[in-house]
Amino acid sequence: EEELAAVPHYFISSHSMHEEVNASTFARYANDVAERIFAKHDVLVLVGGTGLYFKAFLEGLDDIPEISSTIRQNIVKKYEAEGIEWLQEEIRKSDPKFFAGGEIRNPQRLMRALEVVQGTGRSIKDFHKGAGVEGAAAKYNVEKFAIDVPRELLYTNINTRVESMMEDGLLEEAMALEPYRHLNALQTVGYTELFEHFDGVISLEEAVEKIKKNTRNYAKRQMTWFRKDEQICWISTPGEIIAGR
């Protein structure tokens, strides 16, 4: 609450977990917020780590037709029964474009890609062309910065944060949300591992270690994504510019 009170935040407690939120949803939301902020201020800061959401906001994203909720539910049920290997194989067969260059270790991205190809007959990559939602880069002066944290320190920070989250009530939160585990919003690191623990598949200690491992892997994928962006100015932790413009 102290952090939220220090400066206005957006996209936190902004949507219900029952809503379908994706990159296209975010692009529309962020564009609306940006227009309202720039009506009063000269600068806004977009911060986070989901590269596809940054891309959707900055470069634009084609509108994806609404997908039947039945398709999504069937995919989630099959994933819960068969695991990520099933998702990867389905994507390999039905959306080779995504399989070749998408996040094939991320079940959330895989399920989204699969529901799009099943619902539209087209690869989700076909919609990443930027014609539906105008990109912010075409309207605003955009500067990109990234903090380059040494891997050992980054992983230590992640492990410490997971432990802090557990101390602050993540287990109890997951217990309260367990009846809604099928929702898209809960197919994320931190919840899925604890749901496995509730199912008796792994111990609580194993679940915590798995959260740490999966978060570290997610951070590694984030770094790989952003390293490809030549417009990013990288800053080392003491504040020294080490690469970029």
Side-chain angles (χ1 to χ4, degrees):
E1 291 183 0
E2 291 79 7
E3 292 180 2
L4 295 177
V7 63
H9 287 65
Y10 297 86
F11 210 56
I12 293 179
S13 299
S14 58
H15 294 71
S16 166
M17 66 179 180
H18 295 279
E19 293 182 63
E20 179 70 27
V21 176
N22 51 49
S24 181
T25 309
F26 176 76
R28 295 191 194 92
Y29 174 90
N31 269 285
D32 178 63
V33 169
E35 290 181 2
R36 286 188 276 129
I37 290 177
F38 282 129
K40 298 180 179 179
H41 305 283
D42 294 329
V43 177
L44 73 79
V45 178
L46 177 66
V47 59
T50 306
L52 180 60
Y53 279 36
F54 279 94
K55 181 180 177 67
F57 174 60
L58 296 175
E59 301 179 18
L61 194 69
D62 280 354
D63 287 325
I64 298 178
E66 186 173 346
I67 309 298
S68 167
S69 60
T70 301
I71 292 177
R72 175 74 189 189
Q73 291 167 5
N74 289 339
I75 290 173
V76 171
K77 288 180 181 178
K78 192 72 174 177
Y79 162 62
E80 291 177 345
E82 304 291 339
I84 193 170
E85 292 81 8
W86 173 82
L87 275 175
Q88 292 169 335
E89 179 60 18
E90 289 298 305
I91 286 294
R92 187 189 67 79
K93 293 186 297 184
S94 60
D95 189 351
K97 284 185 182 179
F98 183 87
F99 187 82
E103 297 183 58
I104 62 170
R105 294 183 182 86
N106 186 325
Q108 181 78 3
R109 299 279 183 261
L110 287 167
M111 285 190 284
R112 177 58 176 165
L114 187 57
E115 71 177 41
V116 169
V117 74
Q118 289 186 1
T120 69
R122 297 171 59 192
S123 169
I124 193 171
K125 289 286 188 179
D126 293 341
F127 295 96
H128 294 175
K129 305 299 182 184
V133 180
E134 183 181 11
K139 299 183 289 183
Y140 308 121
N141 178 34
V142 177
E143 297 289 342
K144 300 180 182 179
F145 302 92
I147 300 173
D148 191 48
V149 181
R151 179 170 295 184
E152 183 177 344
L153 176 58
L154 175 63
Y155 287 0
T156 297
N157 290 345
I158 287 172
N159 294 341
T160 301
R161 173 123 177 110
V162 171
E163 292 168 4
S164 175
M165 290 167 65
M166 291 299 296
E167 292 173 2
D168 290 341
L170 179 59
L171 177 64
E172 292 74 17
E173 179 180 323
M175 285 180 178
L177 293 172
E178 203 275 338
Y180 309 100
R181 61 188 293 176
H182 63 282
L183 294 177
N184 187 36
L186 300 181
Q187 309 298 316
T188 57
V189 175
Y191 291 130
T192 54
E193 296 85 355
L194 290 176
F195 292 155
E196 283 188 74
H197 166 60
F198 299 155
D199 291 340
V201 177
I202 56 178
S203 68
L204 179 58
E205 181 179 355
E206 289 172 327
V208 172
E209 289 305 311
K210 197 170 183 179
I211 293 173
K212 293 178 180 178
K213 178 183 177 181
N214 289 340
T215 305
R216 294 194 300 267
N217 289 339
Y218 183 65
K220 184 178 179 180
R221 292 195 298 272
Q222 287 175 316
M223 296 295 286
T224 300
W225 175 290
F226 290 115
R227 292 287 186 199
K228 297 177 182 179
D229 189 339
E230 296 180 354
Q231 293 183 322
I232 289 180
C233 175
W234 287 87
I235 303 171
S236 65
T237 41
E240 177 186 354
I241 297 177
I242 59 175
R245 294 179 294 144

